[in-house]
Amino acid sequence: MKDILTADFMTEMIRTTGNMYRQGWDERNSGNISLLLDETEVKDYVNLKAVLRSLPTGFKTPELDGKYFLVTGTGKYFKNVEYAPEVNLGLVRLTDGGGTAELLWGLTDGGGLTSEFPAHMMSHDVRLRIDPMHRVVMHCHPANLLAMTFVHSLDEREFTRTLWQMCTECIMIFPDGVNVLPWMLCGTNAIGEATAEKMKTARLVVWALHGIYGAGRDLDETFGLIETAEKGAEIYLKIAHLPRLNHITDDMLHQIERRYGVKAREGYLAQAR
Ligand code: 2HA
Ligand code: ZN
């Protein structure tokens, strides 16, 4: 067996949790990540037959049966992942139609999977149907996006348009926009189902008064997606109370669409002239 701490997926996960912590997105034990892995990626690093513990998930995702995930543990601090990955992360394989997660590595202190495991798995299920290259679900609490949900309309079109209008490149990074869930109790199957439903039409789902979910093809891309939306929210909060003299107009956004080959979410921009 090769040393799992040298695997690309592990070093990327460790860097990403550290970077998210240093961005201020993951105070204390907040936030969670799950990274979908192919069996070919993990087979040299763990004994696929040696199940350390079987953890009931409390829901079914038959399409994910047999799939492998590297996930953050419940109650674990992102800032500690780089110092003790084997305590703070777990590598699991779903069986029993998604009803059981078999632990193959990690969570060595007896800890469990992220409390948001339902939202993660249900979102993977949805995103994989849309994009076979999909791999990552990421949740965190970026301050500006969170703050924005207290003072901005939670209408998805309005919320998305505001972010697109804050930085020229926002529309290039998330042309599908940002979906928004009203406040719901976190850690439940219900918020998992609602998040997955929102993931059908966008890779970013804001949890009002709580945080955000991002989905993408790798850790870097998903981090960048959240980072860009958070930058938009930061600009918004810097200028929301000031008279606005200059604007990013729908006409400008249409120019970006044409030049960079992106397509804004249907109906989110005024018709091009
Ligand atoms: O893992 O962020 O939403 C802690 C959370 C739950
Ligand atoms: Zn949270």
Side-chain angles (χ1 to χ4, degrees), residues 27 29-32 115-116 139-141 186 207 210-213:
E27 75 285 355
N29 63 316
S30 69
N32 24 75
S115 60
E116 304 295 357
H139 167 62
C140 56
H141 303 166
C186 53
W207 282 7
H210 181 141
I212 191 162
Y213 267 75

Side-chain angles (χ1 to χ4, degrees), residues 237-254:
L237 292 176
K238 283 186 197 295
I239 66 169
H241 59 295
L242 299 172
R244 216 176 288 180
L245 305 181
N246 305 301
H247 301 267
I248 294 177
T249 64
D250 284 19
D251 179 58
M252 294 172 188
L253 294 172
H254 280 303

Side-chain angles (χ1 to χ4, degrees), residues 2 21 24 121 123 145 149-150 186 207 215 225 242:
K2 294 199 228 168
Y21 173 70
M121 294 304 118
S123 296
L145 278 164
T149 67
F150 286 86
C186 53
W207 282 7
L225 191 60
L242 299 172

Side-chain angles (χ1 to χ4, degrees), residues 173-205:
I173 311 301
F174 48 97
D176 47 350
V178 176
N179 284 342
V180 183
L181 274 188
W183 187 91
M184 290 178 74
L185 185 62
C186 53
T188 61
N189 286 355
I191 201 169
E193 285 157 15
T195 305
E197 186 61 32
K198 293 289 185 192
M199 284 277 180
K200 287 181 178 167
T201 47
R203 293 170 303 143
L204 285 169
V205 179

Side-chain angles (χ1 to χ4, degrees), residues 12 16 19-20 23 25 136 138 140 142 145 167 169-170 172-174 203-204 212-232:
E12 271 301 297
T16 302
N19 285 337
M20 290 174 76
Q23 291 287 88
W25 300 348
V136 175
M138 185 180 281
C140 56
L145 278 164
C167 314
E169 303 203 355
C170 273
M172 283 188 235
I173 311 301
F174 48 97
R203 293 170 303 143
L204 285 169
I212 191 162
Y213 267 75
R217 293 179 168 183
D218 59 41
L219 289 164
D220 236 13
E221 186 202 22
T222 315
F223 180 100
L225 191 60
I226 293 176
E227 187 181 29
T228 307
E230 170 65 358
K231 173 62 78 68

